[in-house]
Amino acid sequence: MKVVLFCGGYGTRMRSGAPGDVPKPMQLVGPRPLIWHVMRYYAHFGHKEFVLCLGYGAHQIKDFFLRYEETASNDFVLRGGQVELLANDISDWTISFVHTGIESSIGERLRRVRDHLDGDELFLANYADVLSDAPLPDMIDRLAGADAGGSLMVVPPPGTFHCVEVADGGLVGQITAVTEMPLWVNGGYFVLRQEIFDHIPEGGDLLVDGCKELAKRGRLLAYPYRGYWRPTDTVNQRVELDRAYARGERPWALWERAA
């Protein structure tokens, strides 16, 4: 199945604001950028046709793949001055690089790459900065066997905040960790049918317009997941992931377990 990745936003919480800042999908975790980890996850399950919705920092994403160095993440033998790879990452990937605008919403970015889906009834979509070890085949099968227009993974709200119940008079009742509340937030990892395009107007949003309309019509599935899921919205979150990678703690890297 084709995989649409949204990688054109400014990522303002990740950037310093200086000219030439590295866009969020190109921030490193280990020797590779975030977007590579997301793509490698999909490729692990056999989905190797990618459509990248580019915007801010497009040239940096293009340059990374045009100058791709397989030796950065694969073992190799140097013999007689020639490199002999013992494994490779992207030689069988197909990647479409589509500039979808600097200011475009995610829904509009999806609209602008519709032709690149070749009319496939089912396709995958995701952000380019969210890592997980979720069982993708199960997510796909669930939508494929249902009368629904799409599904999205939902996860418990991240963070260490606590919800405080306030009664009349200002007295505090219960104090509950937000992760223990019966709440779910959008975790990305969308499985969609072409039907989604019927509900995203020009300039519209994938979640607020497309998914919300499907939900109103009873045609949106949720895939609740309590396993590993990490967003990377801030520098601290990226640094935490990079340190975990260095310690060998990378549950999202399912391809390493299969090696």
Side-chain angles (χ1 to χ4, degrees):
M1 295 172 64
K2 293 180 178 64
V3 183
V4 177
L5 294 179
F6 307 113
C7 44
Y10 284 109
T12 52
R13 284 177 289 179
M14 182 76 79
R15 296 166 51 225
S16 67
D21 261 354
V22 175
K24 184 164 57 168
M26 293 304 298
Q27 297 282 335
L28 293 179
V29 174
R32 297 296 195 194
L34 279 163
I35 190 172
W36 178 90
H37 290 271
V38 176
M39 295 169 77
R40 194 68 178 80
Y41 165 87
Y42 283 102
H44 170 71
F45 292 108
H47 306 288
K48 302 178 181 181
E49 293 185 67
F50 299 97
V51 181
L52 304 187
C53 300
L54 303 177
Y56 173 80
H59 68 285
Q60 297 183 55
I61 296 174
K62 291 176 181 178
D63 284 350
F64 170 73
F65 287 103
L66 288 173
R67 306 171 188 271
Y68 192 81
E69 291 290 343
E70 289 279 11
T71 54
S73 55
N74 288 295
D75 294 337
F76 62 94
V77 175
L78 185 63
R79 180 179 290 113
Q82 299 297 313
V83 173
E84 299 177 13
L85 289 167
L86 300 180
N88 60 75
D89 298 323
I90 72 169
S91 61
D92 58 347
W93 293 8
T94 300
I95 309 173
S96 298
F97 299 84
V98 186
H99 203 291
T100 54
I102 297 294
E103 303 289 346
S104 301
S105 64
I106 287 179
E108 181 60 25
R109 294 189 191 283
L110 182 60
R111 281 166 44 91
R112 293 185 184 187
V113 301
R114 184 175 186 178
D115 289 346
H116 293 271
L117 299 176
D118 299 327
D120 291 357
E121 176 59 21
L122 284 176
F123 64 95
L124 308 172
N126 203 356
Y127 309 108
D129 56 5
V130 182
L131 304 181
S132 180
D133 63 353
L136 183 61
D138 190 41
M139 285 190 273
I140 294 171
D141 290 345
R142 186 164 180 221
L143 179 66
D147 182 20
S151 73
L152 74 161
M153 190 167 78
V154 295
V155 297
T160 57
F161 292 103
H162 287 72
C163 293
V164 179
E165 181 183 294
V166 181
D168 293 340
L171 290 175
V172 172
Q174 283 190 306
I175 298 177
T176 309
V178 68
T179 54
E180 297 174 4
M181 297 288 290
L183 300 172
W184 298 93
V185 299
N186 168 31
Y189 292 82
F190 299 90
V191 185
L192 301 170
R193 295 187 190 275
Q194 288 281 328
E195 179 183 344
I196 190 68
F197 292 105
D198 297 337
H199 308 300
I200 303 176
E202 184 175 350
D205 185 72
L206 170 59
L207 195 68
V208 175
D209 293 305
C211 289
K212 191 172 181 179
E213 184 60 30
L214 285 178
K216 284 169 58 177
R217 296 167 179 259
R219 297 192 54 75
L220 182 67
L221 292 177
Y223 189 91
Y225 189 62
R226 293 187 176 274
Y228 183 87
W229 179 85
R230 292 292 184 280
T232 316
D233 291 321
T234 66
V235 172
N236 286 342
Q237 289 173 328
R238 200 278 304 170
V239 170
E240 181 183 331
L241 277 174
D242 191 48
R243 289 173 176 168
Y245 185 98
R247 294 192 302 267
E249 299 170 5
R250 33 188 187 263
W252 70 88
L254 299 174
W255 56 93
E256 294 183 347
R257 303 182 202 175

